Amino acid sequence: MPLNMGLYTKYNKKKTYTSLAVLVLVFVFLLFCDFSSYAQVNKANPQSNTGKELEELLQKAAANIGISPALAEQLADKAFTLAQEKKEALYTIRALILSGKIKNLKGDHTTALNLYSKAATLAKQQHAVKEEIETFINIGEMVYKKGDYDQSLLLFLKADSLAGSSHLERQQATALYYIGKYNQTKGNFSQARNYYLRSLAINRKNNDSVQLALLLPSLGKYYISEGSLNLALNCYQEAFYISTRLNNQLLSADICNHLGGLYSDLKEFNKAMHYHRQALQYRQAMQYPGELAKSYNNIGRIYFGLGQLDSAEYYFKKSLVLCKSTNYKKGLVKSLVNLGSVYRLGNEPEKASVNLFSALEIATHIGYDNGIADAAIDLGDLFTAGNKLDTAIFYYKLALSKLIKTNYDEDLLRIYLGLYKCYNNKQEYKEALTYHVALLETEKKLLNVENKRQLAILNIMFDTERKEKDYRVLLKDNELKASLLKSKNTFLWLIVVALGFMILLCLYLYNRFYVKKKANKQLEELNAKISSRNAEFEKLNRELEQVSKEKDKLFSIISHELRNPLYWMQNLTEALSQKYKAMAPEKVRKTILSLDESAKNVYHLMDNLLHWSRSKLNRVHPRKGVHNLSALISETTFMYETFLRQKEIVFKKTIPDDVFINADPDLFCCVIRNLISNAIKYTPNGGSIAIGYEQHDEFVTIIISDSGKGIAVSDLKTIFATGNIALSMPGLMQEKGSGLGLKLCKDFVEMNDGKIWVESTEGSGTQFFFNVPICGQNMKSYTKEKIALME
């Protein structure tokens, strides 16, 4: 229906004047403001703290339960994870409750109950009374839907008591609503009305829109039971307006469901079907199985009322499947009773009895009195049609025992009518008369309700007709005002167009100036980039030249230094293979020792070449760990024992077993190998080599000293210089090297977060120093098992 045209006209005027004002402001702004400064003003993006972030996540999740269940669940899980990481107990509880609601709506009742139980336990531990009440209500709602009404009432009463003593009005209003719902289900309509009105008063006081949207449909259902259809319609309309404003499809579906029930009672089945299908559309978008089952059941009832039994059966079966999948006992009973009614009217008594007995068994098991009564009434009608009067009387009386203290007058009417017919057919007229009197009294009560209902229908029709007349008068008045406004708008739009043209011209001029300024700035930046790139290219060229020199030097090393030991090894092996029988044992031993020395030299050279090439290709990635310093050095120097014995060099290691370092063991051992190899090379026969250490707060310094010929002062300054690979000086026994060793030592020590230096006096020996990070207080507190695990 169109909106009030008077308000629409005022809105158009206001909109036009607002547009003019905005355009003028933009024009002035562009003339007097710097656009670039304005752009920077809007860059502020303050970070929210953890509490605000969690609050926003939970609010978004709650808002999306009735719109996008998947998004709601994702947000709730994210909030739960973040709350646990930040140890926010209160937000953890709220996230658990929200996740439980989503799981419950999806039909995963076991998971939902576990989440609610965890939330309840945590809430009790944290003394979070509000959240503890919410868990009682949510668990009570689950128990209520399973049909265990008395158990759910205990939880609702507990929540009401705790909320009242803690002065938590919102939670108390929710508890009162569910207590009213319990009484309505039990047929205690007057008590249900009292609880509903108490809850309504609190919700209106606190302006709780969500609770109002939940409560008003139930209150409307009560008004229907007493025939006050106009009051019921008012409740539904207000609830529908709230749910639309909240954009909550879950609430909208529930309200459409109630509106469908209202029009179904008025026998306006087309309108009833419209609202039930609208509810189904909302629920299909959310895919909550329990809610879908309700819609299918309601649509089936409409088809049943229209006498279209095949369509009714189709929808009742769809509802039955969903109720079974979610273990929704109450819905299961309703679906089975409805199918039994379809089969009973379709003259299929066997199918009818199977479904009705199943419904009766489930309802009895869960204590669902209304379900027992519904199934028993249909069984009574079924056995009456089959002339099994005693059996029919049994089931009528069973239904009567469940409804005698309630106000379900329409069901009581069916029971009294059935009992009257049965006793009348059995010619037991005294019993028949008793139930006939009860039948007449019930009809009288229903007649009063029907009179109220018809009066309410007339009131509704009268209000509708009056509103339509008012609307037509208002429509004509608005058409006249619209024609006057149109002429004024034409003039205003001319002004707007002229002003817009001026603004566009100013924008064009400003844009030309801005583009030119921006182009100049870009040219300056480009020139700066070109200069920077040229400098980078020059640097790269120098680096490429250096790399090329290193490559040439490397190939020179390989061709000179690798060829000689291999050639020497070839000659020795050839001599051994051809003449070992004729050679003296001592000469064979010396030949083998020479062959061993040549092989180790070749291996050492190849090892250094491999490490050097890997470091140049950036393929060396330190893998640091805690290691025993003494053990690493012992493992590395073991391979040089033959050389030490051969040259009669005294080797001394003074490092205790309780020193631990944090380093890459392979890189560390490579440094030790090279320094020990050099020490052996330049130490004369009968000399000495020592490995010691100095301990500091954060690192340990390893000292390798020898009694060799020392290093010239001129060579000390360039010994670790980068970018140079030179052939090394031959050893005292003319041992040859590659010149890569010390370069690798420097690179690998630095990769282990240390530094290396040398002290030497020519003719008196050399001392190499390098340090590595130490681990803890000598790691004395570590057990052997822990150290082994680290290594």
Side-chain angles (χ1 to χ4, degrees):
M1 185 175 288
L3 293 170
N4 185 303
M5 287 299 292
L7 292 174
Y8 179 75
T9 303
K10 290 180 181 178
Y11 172 73
N12 273 343
K13 286 183 180 179
K14 187 176 179 181
K15 184 178 179 182
T16 304
Y17 294 142
T18 305
S19 300
L20 282 170
V22 170
L23 288 172
V24 170
L25 286 172
V26 171
F27 173 73
V28 173
F29 176 79
L30 290 173
L31 286 177
F32 296 103
C33 295
D34 184 2
F35 181 79
S36 60
S37 299
Y38 171 74
Q40 291 180 355
V41 172
N42 295 300
K43 288 184 179 179
N45 184 22
Q47 297 293 325
S48 60
N49 56 35
T50 304
K52 286 184 179 179
E53 186 179 358
L54 285 166
E55 188 67 37
E56 288 176 3
L57 284 171
L58 291 171
Q59 286 180 358
K60 287 180 181 178
N64 278 283
I65 287 179
I67 303 170
S68 175
L71 178 59
E73 187 169 19
Q74 182 182 352
L75 290 168
D77 290 343
K78 185 177 179 180
F80 175 73
T81 304
L82 181 60
Q84 283 204 313
E85 287 178 1
K86 302 297 182 180
K87 296 183 179 179
E88 294 280 356
L90 185 61
Y91 288 109
T92 301
I93 298 166
R94 290 174 59 187
L96 285 169
I97 293 171
L98 204 55
S99 297
K101 286 182 181 178
I102 297 167
K103 293 293 185 184
N104 185 31
L105 286 168
K106 284 189 170 184
D108 190 355
H109 302 305
T110 303
T111 305
L113 189 58
N114 288 335
L115 291 169
Y116 287 148
S117 299
K118 288 179 182 178
T121 303
L122 193 56
K124 195 173 185 68
Q125 292 173 354
Q126 298 293 326
H127 304 290
V129 179
K130 178 181 171 184
E131 284 70 24
E132 188 176 5
I133 293 168
E134 286 188 27
T135 58
F136 288 150
I137 292 172
N138 289 324
I139 295 172
E141 184 185 11
M142 285 185 64
V143 175
Y144 174 86
K145 286 185 177 180
K146 287 184 177 180
D148 192 354
Y149 299 118
D150 294 334
Q151 184 63 34
S152 68
L153 178 63
L154 294 175
L155 289 164
F156 297 146
L157 289 171
K158 189 174 182 180
D160 176 40
S161 174
L162 189 56
S165 61
S166 303
H167 306 291
L168 296 171
E169 288 190 340
R170 291 178 183 269
Q171 285 67 34
Q172 187 174 22
T174 307
L176 290 171
Y177 159 68
Y178 279 107
I179 295 171
K181 200 170 181 180
Y182 163 84
N183 281 286
Q184 191 170 29
T185 302
K186 287 290 187 177
N188 304 323
F189 294 125
S190 60
Q191 292 185 38
R193 177 178 177 275
N194 292 334
Y195 282 109
Y196 285 152
L197 291 178
R198 285 177 61 192
S199 178
L200 182 65
I202 297 172
N203 287 323
R204 289 203 187 281
K205 174 185 172 184
N206 294 314
N207 196 23
D208 193 335
S209 299
V210 175
Q211 278 302 316
L212 282 172
L214 279 173
L215 170 64
L216 287 168
S218 295
L219 185 58
K221 192 173 181 182
Y222 162 76
Y223 286 133
I224 290 175
S225 69
E226 68 171 16
S228 303
L229 300 186
N230 52 341
L231 293 176
L233 187 59
N234 290 337
C235 288
Y236 293 151
Q237 287 175 340
E238 183 182 355
F240 190 75
Y241 168 75
I242 293 171
S243 68
T244 304
R245 180 165 52 82
L246 294 174
N247 191 27
N248 191 315
Q249 294 183 1
L250 186 63
L251 291 173
S252 296
D254 191 47
I255 295 158
C256 286
N257 179 54
H258 282 284
L259 282 167
L262 172 64
Y263 285 110
S264 180
D265 288 342
L266 296 174
K267 306 303 180 185
E268 295 187 31
F269 294 115
N270 290 332
K271 285 186 178 181
M273 182 64 80
H274 166 76
Y275 282 110
H276 282 313
R277 288 204 177 277
Q278 184 66 47
L280 178 62
Q281 186 177 347
Y282 287 137
R283 286 163 173 168
Q284 284 175 333
M286 294 178 290
Q287 286 298 310
Y288 290 145
E291 300 299 311
L292 281 171
K294 292 178 184 177
S295 284
Y296 290 139
N297 216 20
N298 291 330
I299 293 172
R301 293 296 301 174
I302 299 298
Y303 281 120
F304 184 81
L306 292 170
Q308 299 178 21
L309 299 182
D310 291 339
S311 299
E313 180 186 0
Y314 170 77
Y315 282 100
F316 290 149
K317 282 183 175 179
K318 291 189 75 169
S319 176
L320 183 66
V321 170
L322 288 172
C323 291
K324 283 182 178 179
S325 67
T326 58
N327 198 26
Y328 179 24
K329 299 292 187 183
K330 184 178 174 182
L332 195 61
V333 172
K334 288 183 178 181
S335 299
L336 288 168
V337 170
N338 289 332
L339 280 170
S341 300
V342 169
Y343 293 133
R344 179 174 58 81
L345 293 181
N347 294 321
E348 297 182 69
E350 291 183 0
K351 287 185 177 180
S353 62
V354 168
N355 284 277
L356 291 171
F357 278 125
S358 297
L360 183 62
E361 182 182 356
I362 296 169
T364 303
H365 179 69
I366 65 175
Y368 179 23
D369 289 346
N370 287 3
I372 294 171
D374 290 339
I377 292 170
D378 268 272
L379 283 168
D381 291 344
L382 181 66
F383 287 117
T384 299
N387 205 28
K388 297 179 180 179
L389 302 178
D390 291 331
T391 307
I393 289 169
F394 170 78
Y395 285 109
Y396 282 136
K397 286 187 175 181
L398 174 62
L400 183 61
S401 67
K402 300 299 179 182
L403 301 180
I404 190 66
K405 294 182 180 180
T406 69
N407 294 322
Y408 289 107
D409 294 326
E410 291 183 358
D411 290 331
L412 288 170
L413 186 69
R414 285 183 63 190
I415 295 170
Y416 292 140
L417 180 61
L419 287 169
Y420 165 70
K421 287 181 179 180
C422 289
Y423 281 116
N424 192 50
N425 290 337
K426 288 182 68 178
Q427 296 182 355
E428 295 181 16
Y429 299 115
K430 184 178 179 180
E431 292 291 335
L433 180 60
T434 301
Y435 289 110
H436 190 265
V437 171
L439 175 64
L440 292 175
E441 290 177 354
T442 307
E443 284 180 340
K444 184 179 178 181
K445 287 175 66 177
L446 285 174
L447 184 60
N448 291 332
V449 173
E450 185 63 25
N451 288 337
K452 286 185 179 180
R453 184 175 297 180
Q454 292 300 324
L455 183 60
I457 293 171
L458 289 173
N459 287 333
I460 293 170
M461 291 174 64
F462 174 75
D463 288 342
T464 304
E465 185 178 354
R466 180 173 54 80
K467 287 177 182 178
E468 287 179 355
K469 287 180 179 179
D470 291 342
Y471 168 69
R472 285 194 292 270
V473 172
L474 188 61
L475 190 61
K476 289 181 180 179
D477 182 55
N478 286 337
E479 286 175 359
L480 179 61
K481 291 178 180 178
S483 64
L484 294 173
L485 181 64
K486 187 175 181 181
S487 60
K488 292 180 181 180
N489 283 345
T490 304
F491 176 71
L492 289 173
W493 278 113
L494 288 173
I495 296 174
V496 170
V497 169
L499 186 58
F501 177 76
M502 289 177 62
I503 291 172
L504 288 174
L505 180 62
C506 292
L507 285 173
Y508 173 74
L509 295 174
Y510 176 81
N511 187 59
R512 288 288 301 273
F513 170 75
Y514 178 75
V515 168
K516 187 176 180 180
K517 184 179 177 182
K518 187 177 179 180
N520 290 334
K521 187 177 179 181
Q522 287 178 342
L523 284 173
E524 291 175 1
E525 290 176 354
L526 189 60
N527 288 331
K529 284 183 180 179
I530 291 171
S531 300
S532 176
R533 291 289 174 85
N534 288 337
E536 289 177 3
F537 288 148
E538 289 177 2
K539 183 180 178 183
L540 286 173
N541 285 333
R542 289 195 297 271
E543 290 177 356
L544 284 172
E545 289 175 2
Q546 184 63 40
V547 169
S548 179
K549 289 179 182 178
E550 289 182 359
K551 181 198 69 174
D552 294 340
K553 196 67 178 177
L554 177 64
F555 286 139
S556 173
I557 290 169
I558 294 172
S559 61
H560 287 84
E561 304 300 328
L562 191 60
R563 185 172 180 275
N564 291 335
L566 288 174
Y567 177 74
W568 180 240
M569 286 175 64
Q570 180 186 356
N571 290 338
L572 289 174
T573 54
E574 184 178 354
L576 280 173
S577 63
Q578 294 177 359
K579 301 177 182 180
Y580 75 95
K581 291 183 179 180
M583 294 172 66
E586 181 62 23
K587 190 172 182 180
V588 170
R589 187 182 70 80
K590 289 182 178 179
T591 303
I592 291 173
L593 286 174
S594 298
L595 183 62
D596 179 58
E597 182 181 353
S598 296
K600 287 179 178 177
N601 285 334
V602 171
Y603 171 78
H604 185 66
L605 175 62
M606 290 302 296
D607 189 49
N608 280 345
L609 286 172
L610 175 62
H611 281 91
W612 181 82
S613 62
R614 288 182 65 203
S615 68
K616 282 297 175 184
L617 294 173
N618 293 321
R619 291 183 181 174
V620 178
H621 303 289
R623 291 179 294 180
K624 297 179 182 179
V626 178
H627 301 280
N628 185 282
L629 177 61
S630 177
L632 284 178
I633 292 175
S634 298
E635 291 172 5
T636 307
T637 57
F638 176 76
M639 63 181 292
Y640 295 103
E641 289 184 355
T642 303
F643 289 108
L644 293 169
R645 284 196 302 271
Q646 185 179 353
K647 294 184 72 173
E648 298 178 351
I649 294 172
V650 176
F651 180 73
K652 185 177 182 181
K653 178 172 74 74
T654 58
I655 295 176
D657 293 335
D658 62 347
V659 179
F660 292 85
I661 60 173
N662 183 22
D664 183 308
D666 294 334
L667 301 183
F668 180 85
C669 291
C670 183
V671 174
I672 295 294
R673 281 199 302 272
N674 277 287
L675 294 178
I676 292 295
S677 176
N678 285 346
I680 293 172
K681 187 189 300 183
Y682 298 111
T683 299
N685 290 353
S688 65
I689 297 174
I691 299 181
Y693 85 106
E694 291 179 0
Q695 185 173 326
H696 305 278
D697 291 337
E698 297 181 356
F699 60 89
V700 61
T701 302
I702 292 89
I703 306 167
I704 300 177
S705 57
D706 63 61
S707 60
K709 65 179 185 178
I711 302 171
V713 176
S714 59
D715 293 333
L716 283 175
K717 296 179 180 179
T718 59
I719 194 168
F720 292 118
T722 58
N724 294 315
I725 303 177
L727 292 173
S728 65
M729 295 296 293
L732 296 178
M733 299 179 69
Q734 299 305 308
E735 303 99 322
K736 292 185 177 181
S738 63
L740 291 173
L742 291 178
K743 183 172 180 60
L744 284 175
C745 288
K746 181 178 183 297
D747 292 343
F748 288 176
V749 167
E750 290 175 353
M751 286 183 186
N752 273 329
D753 298 326
K755 60 181 180 178
I756 186 170
W757 67 96
V758 61
E759 295 178 2
S760 179
T761 302
E762 194 170 0
S764 299
T766 303
Q767 284 186 313
F768 279 90
F769 303 83
F770 71 95
N771 52 35
V772 289
I774 196 169
C775 189
Q777 299 296 323
N778 293 339
M779 299 295 286
K780 289 180 179 179
S781 61
Y782 279 73
T783 63
K784 291 182 179 180
E785 290 79 3
K786 288 182 179 178
I787 299 304
L789 184 62
M790 289 178 184
E791 293 178 347

